[in-house]
Each structure stands twice: as structure tokens, then as C-alpha cells.
Amino acid sequence: MQYKLGEFFSGPGGLACGAMQAKVRVPGKGEWSIKHSWANDRDEDTCHTYKRNICRNDNANSVICADVRSIDISENNPLFRDHPFDAFAFGFPCNDFSNVGEKNGLDGEYGALYSYGVKVLDKFKPKWFLAENVSGLTSANDGKAFSQIMNDMRECGYHLYPHLYKFEEYGVPQTRHRIIIIGIKDDIKKVYYPPSPKMYSDIDVSAEKALSGIPRTAPNNEPSFMTERVRERLSYIKPGENAFNAEELKKHPELQLKVKGATISQIYRRLVPDAPSYTVTGSGGGGTHIYHWKEPRALTNRERARLQTFPDDYVFMGNKEKVRRQIGMAVPVAGAKAIFEAVLKTMADVEYDHVDCNIDFKN
């Protein structure tokens, strides 16, 4: 059994890469898997990355670069007509739901974009879907945003299984927490459970392990430009410290940041070698690029991609800053793979070690 996956807000392909890696062998029934059918993102370089890695042998008409608000969600659209699908994924934009920022929720510029994924569910009725967003989704608009999103999805005819995943518990060398909603059609009598982190407890998720052994020829591995002033500043910051709490740096006022009220913990924060990285982000300026625990430098994009568990041969297209943004906005491949494998096992009636959903919602 092979499901055909369609995607909105596909990004550079973190979800798709994880989906394609997910395989479940069922005695007497063969292999259950997922393949790419179509995808959409509005950024041109991001779409080039997706095409280059996910469907390089395709003639590329299965990846549409466009604002989702401009897409005709109907059978008349060649994207849907020529690329049938029975599974769907959409990591709708998190800007207005993030705990960092103004938290405008559904009232923000991006808050209502989830509704375009709901339109796909309502129109095409895929057998199951995966929706992804930040942990702040449940608190946006005093919780009303999450309730509305869940009700809109449910009214399309799905049982819903929302869960807050801590990806460092699933083989990802990074403390990245995201809400994943799995939906299964009402007429399919299956119940989804999140996979138990115990199945991944033997994986070394330390930053040192994640960044070791990168081939010199790996793509997107160019070092970032570092001024001597930044290098000197980093020399006084110990692993785990940042530009505001480093005691040694306080002895050098000429190197301290002159930013009133700024205490963001990620600014010039250095990694701890025997612990997972802090969250890889796609936005922000100097001081937010993630910094090596020993060497006085920012990580390369390939090292950041390692923290997001992308394969070393995964090529990101665009200039260095655009690649950095793509990597930071992606879903970690290993985390996606773990969840998709649990979905496949659910659909194939294969038992697996699981936990209960940790977000209350009554179907």
C-alpha cells in the first residue's frame, strides 16, 4: 500500500523527506509507504530545493510556486486533476501563533492561512492528514484559535489526534517542540496514537554527535563571515551561555551588546556539546545563527541541516541567507519519519509502543 501525498506550505521538504523515509512491512500484506504527489510553497528558492531533492526525476509540474491564496482549490485545477492524492500535509505558517512575537493568532496576516488546508480536506477528502504548527497555537487568542482550527478540521469529516511532540525525544538533536495534528476520515475505523519516545531513547541526540563526521564535500557547508569583534566576544562566552548572562563577557564592556531590555537567550548562545541544540530558527539577524561550543564561530548551514536531521546529500538552493531560512522553517526529517511511520502502522493495523495524546480535544 502506497499513499500519495499532497502538501501545502511544503517548505524545502522536511515533512516530505520524512514521509518518503517512512516504511512499514506487514507480513502477508507487503510494504506500506508514502510517495510525493504534489506540493506548493510561495518561495521560489524553497520550491527549487523541494524539486531538487524530493522529485528530481519529475518534470516539476507537481510543485507549484504560488501564494496559497491564489490557488484554485477545485477539480479543474491541473495540480489536483493530474496528481491524485489520498494523504495530505500542511505546516501552516506559525508567525501569528509563535510564543515569540505579537501572537496575533487568527487576526494576524498569516493566522487564517490554515483555512486553505481545510478547504483541501473539505473538497478532496484524503484518507488522512498531518497538520503542523508551533506550541503557541493552543494559547493564541486565549485558546479560541486552536478550538476554531480543530472544529473546522473536524467538520470536514475527520477524527483528530493533536499532540505536542518534543522532537529531541524522537531522535532529533534539537529541543524543538511542535503541535502535530493527525486526522483520519470518520468512515475509516482507525485510532491514531503518538509513538512512544521510548522507541528512540537509545539515539544519541547530542550536538557533538550530530555535527561530527560531516564530509568536506557536503553541500551548503560554507563558513559564515565572522568579524574579529564577534570572535572575541564568543571567546568569553562558555557553552550554554549567551551574550547577556556570560560572566566573563561582563568583564569586557566594550564587547557587550548595547541593546536596552534585550535578554533573548538565543543571542550569541553557544551550544552545549553533550546536549541537544536549542531550536534552529529561520529568522533573525546577527547573533541568532547558533554558535559552536568550542570554535568561536557560527554554524554552517550544513551543520544546521544536521540538527534538522536532513541527509548530507540534501542540497538547498538559493543564497546563504535564504538557505538558512529554509532550514530553520523546516520540520525535522527524523521527527516527521517517526510520526509518519506511526500513521502507516495505524492504517495497516500494526501494533506499536505508543502514548496517549497530551492535548485535550473531544472528537
Side-chain angles (χ1 to χ4, degrees):
M1 175 65 183
Q2 187 171 60
Y3 292 100
K4 298 177 286 293
L5 183 70
E7 291 184 82
F8 269 172
F9 316 109
S10 64
L15 278 174
C17 187
M20 293 171 67
Q21 289 183 8
K23 312 287 183 185
V24 174
R25 285 201 170 275
V26 183
K29 296 183 179 180
E31 184 178 81
W32 292 57
S33 62
I34 305 167
K35 73 173 184 178
H36 160 80
S37 182
W38 60 265
N40 157 258
D41 198 273
R42 72 173 185 173
D43 181 75
E44 187 173 356
D45 287 319
T46 300
C47 288
H48 285 319
T49 296
Y50 192 103
K51 294 174 187 177
R52 169 69 174 75
N53 296 279
I54 301 301
C55 48
R56 65 181 67 183
N57 296 322
D58 197 322
N59 59 11
N61 65 0
S62 66
V63 181
I64 301 300
C65 183
D67 190 309
V68 69
R69 289 167 287 199
S70 69
I71 295 177
D72 173 25
I73 301 177
S74 75
E75 298 92 339
N76 297 324
N77 188 335
L79 177 65
F80 306 119
R81 185 188 64 218
D82 299 340
H83 303 92
F85 65 105
D86 53 6
F88 181 53
F90 61 118
F92 52 101
C94 63
N95 311 56
D96 291 313
F97 302 116
S98 175
N99 287 322
V100 178
E102 297 181 4
K103 294 186 282 189
N104 292 317
L106 296 178
D107 300 324
E109 178 183 357
Y110 305 101
L113 291 182
Y114 81 93
S115 65
Y116 291 87
V118 171
K119 291 178 181 178
V120 170
L121 297 177
D122 190 46
K123 186 67 178 178
F124 294 98
K125 306 293 185 186
K127 294 177 180 178
W128 55 265
F129 73 85
L130 180 154
E132 178 265 348
N133 211 274
V134 294
S135 59
L137 177 63
T138 56
S139 58
N141 300 127
D142 296 321
K144 296 178 182 178
F146 182 68
S147 293
Q148 179 174 330
I149 290 170
M150 294 291 284
N151 285 328
D152 288 350
M153 292 176 177
R154 180 174 58 179
E155 289 178 2
C156 292
Y158 291 85
H159 282 299
L160 306 176
Y161 306 94
H163 187 73
L164 177 64
Y165 292 82
K166 296 180 178 180
F167 281 125
E168 66 272 22
E169 297 178 349
Y170 290 89
V172 177
Q174 176 192 167
T175 54
R176 192 181 192 91
H177 301 169
R178 293 293 184 268
I179 291 175
I180 303 289
I181 305 166
I182 298 297
I184 298 178
K185 278 187 67 179
D186 286 346
D187 59 0
I188 298 177
K189 305 305 179 182
K190 311 286 184 182
V191 177
Y192 171 83
Y193 291 98
S196 172
K198 292 180 180 179
M199 295 192 292
Y200 306 89
S201 60
D202 61 341
I203 299 176
D204 185 347
V205 292
S206 67
E208 186 170 27
K209 175 64 175 179
L211 302 187
S212 65
I214 297 178
R216 288 188 298 175
T217 57
N220 308 114
N221 201 31
E222 303 83 3
S224 297
F225 172 75
M226 302 284 292
T227 66
E228 286 304 314
R229 181 179 175 82
V230 169
R231 289 183 183 275
E232 186 178 4
R233 178 181 294 129
L234 287 170
S235 71
Y236 297 112
I237 301 175
K238 297 178 181 179
E241 294 182 339
N242 61 56
F244 302 102
N245 65 10
E247 292 300 322
E248 287 298 315
L249 186 60
K250 293 177 182 179
K251 301 176 184 178
H252 302 272
E254 74 280 4
L255 294 174
Q256 293 176 21
L257 299 179
K258 304 298 188 294
V259 182
K260 292 184 178 180
T263 58
I264 299 176
S265 63
Q266 313 298 54
I267 302 298
Y268 290 110
R269 182 179 175 188
R270 303 192 76 169
L271 295 173
V272 176
D274 58 355
S277 166
Y278 51 92
T279 304
V280 178
T281 63
S283 59
T288 63
H289 294 187
I290 304 185
Y291 295 84
H292 199 275
W293 60 89
K294 184 178 181 180
E295 301 172 20
R297 64 173 180 85
L299 298 189
T300 68
N301 276 328
R302 176 50 49 191
E303 289 172 320
R304 291 162 55 83
R306 272 284 187 96
L307 297 178
Q308 287 278 58
T309 58
F310 280 96
D312 284 342
D313 61 355
Y314 207 95
V315 181
F316 295 88
M317 311 298 287
N319 64 36
K320 194 176 296 183
E321 285 305 309
K322 289 186 176 180
V323 167
R324 175 175 174 257
R325 182 179 183 278
Q326 290 176 43
I327 294 171
M329 297 296 286
V331 177
V333 174
K337 177 177 181 283
I339 297 169
F340 280 121
E341 282 187 342
V343 171
L344 290 174
K345 289 175 181 177
T346 298
M347 303 303 286
D349 294 320
V350 174
E351 293 186 1
Y352 59 95
D353 193 6
H354 63 262
V355 296
D356 292 329
C357 291
N358 57 20
I359 297 177
D360 290 333
F361 178 77
K362 295 181 179 179
N363 276 296

